[in-house]
Amino acid sequence: MSIADKFKQFLSNIKVDNDEQIELRYGEITSALNKEFRDSESKTSNNLQVGSYGRWTAIKGVSDLDMLYIVPALQWDKYKDGGQSALLERTKAAIKSRYPRTEMYVDRLVVRVLYKNFHVEVQPVFELNDKSFKYPDTYRGGSWKITKPREEISAMTEFITEKNKNLRRLCKMARAWKNKHGVGMGGLLIDTLAHNFLRDTNDYDNKSYLYYDWMSRDFFKYLSELPRQDYFAALGSGQRVRVKSYFQKPAKKAYELALDAIEAAGQDNETTKWQKIYGREFSDTVAKSQASIALERYQDFDSREQFIEDNWPVDIRYSLNIDCEVSQNGFRDYLLRDFLRRRLPLNRDKKLRFYIDSCDVPDNYTILWKVLNRGVEARRRKCTRGTIDKGDTEIVETTNFHGDHIVECYIEKEGVIVAKSRIHVPIE
């Protein structure tokens, strides 16, 4: 299979696979709000799909869906003076009448509607003459702010022709990368930086899948060399899009991995090299069903590893960092990274304390841990492990035998994996 075919298959594997369900929910919410505000039950009028799904840059597992509901202009006088909370509560009540058993709540700017596999953030807005929207903010007594999603969608659409459809595809590939490596980047930031990258080069104006290996390499190099700053100007609208966590370091690592993958072109390990960047969905074949994957795993008693994406939607939006403290009776405690930096051997019979060093996920979440043992000794002892288990802010392990060991931590919030971190432990 050529590299062009591999990238084409990769993009097919990560495409949104529950469009019908998403459109159904959008339609029902819109109908409920039209009934409340306009005495109509239209499922398509007076709404605007925004966010990554509205810009057509979402991928499989997308969990946060955004929609604007355009409130009749005649209602403005009722809410303009301090009525932000009242408007959001009325919006919530209307949706609750359609989905009485579905959990939902007002979250400062929006009504969050929590379905099983995804959430919809509904924002009631008033449309202005310039086609922008005024939306309610309940913070500190309430205010009205401006959003310009149509300009962002238009900027994305205009680039489709100018850049041979490469912008949306690059945005989707970047999402697969950030989910694989736990990079806490928002969707609008990804789309903005991908837009800026292609805007500033004409190398890929007439290129397609055959050059996506080079485009990946150049994009990650571009990200790694961007200055660290708190905001970027969003594509189209120019509004500030916040940088939640710096992405330059993981982008540099992805650039180096892309160089290795390109060097392996035509070799048996080429696909494996690209999977280190983009995850298991970068495959020579059509993505397998979860049932067939599970069957293959259980047929091999050594293959007990569980994969987070098989059990939860993965949509990384926050930052998580875990660290490891190495200790042994009679010796000073060190962080694992100090051992590796000083090239000290990590021998057997040491205690390893893995702990969450930083996490910016809002409260009310579940912590999950995965410990995976690799190597001949792990297989001989039938101790490869790899299950995903609930835990606390730290776990303690011991260096019992030689081999490569992986510890991963995930944060699950409202049914979605929103942050992840990983440590590699080489035991000599």
Side-chain angles (χ1 to χ4, degrees):
M1 181 180 280
S2 70
I3 192 64
D5 289 334
K6 289 181 180 183
F7 271 97
K8 185 180 293 187
Q9 187 61 63
F10 166 49
L11 283 157
S12 176
N13 289 347
I14 63 174
K15 68 181 180 180
V16 175
D17 58 356
N18 59 338
D19 294 273
E20 290 186 7
Q21 186 182 29
I22 290 173
E23 294 295 337
L24 175 64
R25 299 292 188 244
Y26 272 136
E28 292 294 339
I29 291 173
T30 301
S31 178
L33 293 174
N34 275 327
K35 185 176 181 179
E36 172 67 23
F37 287 97
R38 288 183 167 87
D39 196 25
S40 164
E41 296 191 14
S42 171
K43 295 183 178 181
T44 57
S45 302
N46 309 307
N47 79 343
L48 182 64
Q49 295 177 6
V50 294
S52 60
Y53 191 80
R55 293 188 299 273
W56 289 57
T57 56
I59 63 172
K60 182 168 61 176
V62 59
S63 63
D64 263 12
L65 300 163
D66 306 285
M67 68 167 281
L68 305 185
Y69 178 75
I70 304 171
V71 180
L74 293 174
Q75 296 282 328
W76 171 243
D77 287 342
K78 182 176 183 179
Y79 296 104
K80 65 179 182 180
D81 297 321
Q84 293 85 1
S85 293
L87 177 59
L88 286 165
E89 288 294 341
R90 183 178 177 186
T91 301
K92 174 189 168 185
I95 301 171
K96 194 71 174 177
S97 67
R98 173 61 185 85
Y99 292 107
R101 292 188 296 274
T102 299
E103 182 181 354
M104 60 189 72
Y105 60 92
V106 172
D107 186 9
R108 182 175 169 176
L109 311 173
V110 298
V111 177
R112 287 180 57 82
V113 186
L114 310 183
Y115 299 110
K116 181 179 179 181
N117 297 322
F118 57 84
H119 314 146
V120 180
E121 295 188 355
V122 184
Q123 191 168 61
V125 298
F126 290 95
E127 187 170 9
L128 304 179
N129 292 333
D130 64 357
K131 301 301 182 181
S132 63
F133 300 95
K134 188 173 289 188
Y135 66 90
D137 184 350
T138 59
Y139 184 61
R140 291 184 176 178
S143 62
W144 295 95
K145 296 183 177 178
I146 302 297
T147 184
K148 302 177 180 180
R150 283 197 176 113
E151 295 180 13
E152 296 159 4
I153 294 172
S154 295
M156 180 68 66
T157 304
E158 289 169 6
F159 251 49
I160 298 306
T161 301
E162 293 180 22
K163 301 294 179 176
N164 197 28
K165 302 182 180 179
N166 289 331
L167 178 54
R168 280 181 177 152
R169 293 171 186 167
L170 180 58
C171 292
K172 293 176 181 181
M173 290 158 57
R175 281 171 170 76
W177 161 70
K178 65 100 176 176
N179 285 343
K180 164 69 174 173
H181 295 277
V183 185
M185 297 176 70
L188 183 55
L189 178 60
I190 287 176
D191 294 354
T192 294
L193 297 180
H195 172 274
N196 293 351
F197 164 70
L198 289 175
R199 178 198 62 195
D200 295 343
T201 181
N202 57 11
D203 290 348
Y204 301 101
D205 289 2
N206 300 308
K207 302 296 193 297
S208 191
Y209 297 100
L210 183 61
Y211 291 88
Y212 282 9
D213 51 351
W214 289 8
M215 186 170 71
S216 297
R217 174 200 63 193
D218 294 348
F219 176 62
F220 289 126
K221 186 174 188 292
Y222 169 82
L223 291 184
S224 71
E225 294 175 348
L226 285 173
R228 290 192 172 189
Q229 56 194 66
D230 295 331
Y231 296 93
F232 285 87
L235 77 163
S237 69
Q239 297 191 125
R240 283 184 168 187
V241 52
R242 186 166 67 92
V243 178
K244 297 179 180 178
S245 61
Y246 295 127
F247 50 80
Q248 286 82 352
K249 185 176 179 180
K252 183 178 179 181
K253 179 62 177 177
Y255 166 65
E256 294 168 350
L257 291 172
L259 292 176
D260 290 342
I262 291 170
E263 190 174 339
Q267 300 177 19
D268 292 341
N269 64 344
E270 181 183 28
T271 295
T272 302
K273 294 282 187 179
W274 286 108
Q275 286 178 335
K276 290 182 178 180
I277 300 173
Y278 290 122
R280 291 190 301 143
E281 298 291 357
F282 192 98
S283 174
D284 295 335
T285 58
V286 176
K288 299 177 181 178
S289 68
Q290 292 190 13
S292 64
I293 292 172
L295 179 61
E296 288 180 9
R297 290 183 188 145
Y298 283 113
Q299 286 174 342
D300 178 1
F301 71 91
D302 268 339
S303 188
R304 298 173 183 173
E305 183 178 2
Q306 295 177 338
F307 295 89
I308 197 72
E309 60 268 26
D310 290 345
N311 297 287
W312 288 271
V314 178
D315 190 2
I316 302 300
R317 303 192 297 276
Y318 300 98
S319 295
L320 171 69
N321 184 61
I322 60 174
D323 215 330
C324 176
E325 182 183 76
V326 182
S327 62
Q328 185 173 342
N329 290 337
F331 293 89
R332 177 184 172 187
D333 293 351
Y334 283 94
L335 292 177
L336 175 62
R337 62 174 178 267
D338 293 330
F339 262 81
L340 301 180
R341 178 176 54 83
R342 298 169 62 188
R343 299 181 183 275
L344 296 175
L346 186 60
N347 296 322
R348 293 174 54 183
D349 301 323
K350 284 183 168 52
K351 184 172 76 172
L352 305 177
R353 183 176 73 90
F354 299 91
Y355 62 94
I356 293 179
D357 182 56
S358 62
C359 175
D360 65 358
V361 182
D363 292 339
N364 299 320
Y365 55 75
T366 300
I367 302 170
L368 303 166
W369 292 92
K370 171 178 167 179
V371 179
L372 176 65
N373 298 325
R374 290 174 171 170
V376 175
E377 186 69 8
R379 291 194 296 272
R380 186 183 69 81
R381 295 189 182 197
K382 299 182 180 179
C383 192
T384 52
R385 299 174 67 180
T387 59
I388 298 171
D389 304 297
K390 291 183 179 180
D392 209 330
T393 56
E394 65 176 58
I395 60 171
V396 176
E397 296 286 328
T398 55
T399 56
N400 291 330
F401 52 85
H402 306 302
D404 280 342
H405 306 265
I406 305 295
V407 174
E408 293 184 331
C409 183
Y410 313 95
I411 302 296
E412 178 264 315
K413 184 176 176 65
E414 296 172 346
V416 179
I417 301 300
V418 296
K420 63 187 288 190
S421 184
R422 184 177 191 264
I423 287 183
H424 173 226
V425 186
I427 301 176
E428 298 186 7

